[in-house]
C-alpha cells in the first residue's frame, strides 16, 4: 500500500556547459631583486593562475635565483596546457636575475609566442633634487 502512495519523481536533465578552450592568453613576468612572479590571464585580463619562485618552495636568497624563476615558469607552462592556451603575449617587467631564465623556460613546442614586450618603467629625470647644503 505504501508503494501506491509514493509518487514517482521526474528526473531533471540538465545540459552540461561546454568548456571553451582559450587559445590565446597573456603572461606577465615581474622580476625584482627578491622574487619572480608570473601571472597568466586571458585576453580580457581575468587571472587564470599565478606562480612565483617563493610559491615553488624557494626561501630567502634562493628565491631571487634564475632557477627559482625557471621553476615558476615551468609550473605556468603546465597550467597553460590544462587551460588550453596555445598562444601567448609575453610582458616582462623589472631587471631581476630571473628575467631571462623565465622567458627561456616558457619555450615549449605546445606554446607559441605572439609578442614579447618589455614594459619596465624607468624614470624620466625624476623629482627635483634638494637644495645645496650651506655651511
Amino acid at each position: 500500500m505504501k508503494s501506491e502512495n509514493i509518487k514517482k519523481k521526474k528526473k531533471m536533465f540538465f545540459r552540461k556547459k561546454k568548456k571553451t578552450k582559450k587559445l590565446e592568453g597573456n603572461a606577465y613576468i615581474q622580476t625584482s631583486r627578491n622574487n619572480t612572479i608570473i601571472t597568466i590571464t586571458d585576453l580580457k585580463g581575468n587571472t587564470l593562475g599565478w606562480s612565483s619562485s617563493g610559491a615553488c618552495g624557494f626561501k630567502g636568497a634562493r628565491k631571487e635565483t634564475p632557477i627559482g624563476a625557471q621553476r615558476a615558469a615551468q609550473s605556468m607552462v603546465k597550467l597553460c596546457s590544462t587551460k588550453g592556451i596555445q598562444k601567448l603575449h609575453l610582458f616582462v617587467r623589472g631587471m631581476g636575475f630571473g628575467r631571462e631564465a623565465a622567458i627561456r623556460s616558457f619555450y615549449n613546442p605546445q606554446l607559441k609566442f605572439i609578442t614579447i614586450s618589455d614594459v619596465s618603467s624607468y624614470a624620466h629625470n625624476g623629482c627635483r633634487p634638494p637644495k645645496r647644503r650651506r655651511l
Side-chain angles (χ1 to χ4, degrees):
M1 292 225 152
K2 288 185 178 181
S3 62
E4 293 174 4
N5 294 337
I6 298 173
K7 295 180 181 179
K8 291 184 179 179
K9 291 185 179 179
K10 288 185 180 179
K11 289 187 178 179
M12 307 264 308
F13 291 101
F14 295 102
R15 290 184 182 171
K16 291 184 180 178
K17 288 185 179 179
K18 291 183 181 179
K19 292 183 181 179
T20 57
K21 291 197 173 185
K22 297 162 178 71
L23 298 177
E24 284 189 33
N26 296 333
Y28 298 93
I29 299 174
Q30 297 174 331
T31 58
S32 66
R33 289 183 180 177
N34 299 323
N35 205 352
T36 302
I37 301 169
I38 302 170
T39 307
I40 303 288
T41 65
D42 58 4
L43 292 180
K44 292 180 182 176
N46 301 321
T47 303
L48 301 175
W50 65 271
S51 181
S52 67
S53 50
C56 290
F58 292 95
K59 292 184 178 180
R62 293 183 67 208
K63 284 195 300 187
E64 65 197 49
T65 60
I67 298 166
Q70 185 178 359
R71 291 270 176 86
Q74 287 171 353
S75 66
M76 287 293 98
V77 169
K78 288 179 187 176
L79 180 111
C80 287
S81 63
T82 58
K83 297 285 184 178
I85 296 175
Q86 297 170 351
K87 298 176 185 177
L88 278 178
H89 298 275
L90 200 62
F91 298 99
V92 184
R93 171 176 282 148
M95 300 302 289
F97 294 115
R99 178 185 172 108
E100 299 296 324
I103 294 171
R104 251 186 258 119
S105 59
F106 260 104
Y107 284 110
N108 196 342
Q110 299 161 352
L111 283 177
K112 294 181 181 178
F113 293 130
I114 298 171
T115 58
I116 300 175
S117 57
D118 184 9
V119 290
S120 299
S121 58
Y122 59 94
H124 294 275
N125 238 4
C127 302
R128 182 176 175 171
K131 288 195 293 186
R132 204 177 118 217
R133 189 169 170 221
R134 285 181 267 176
L135 292 174

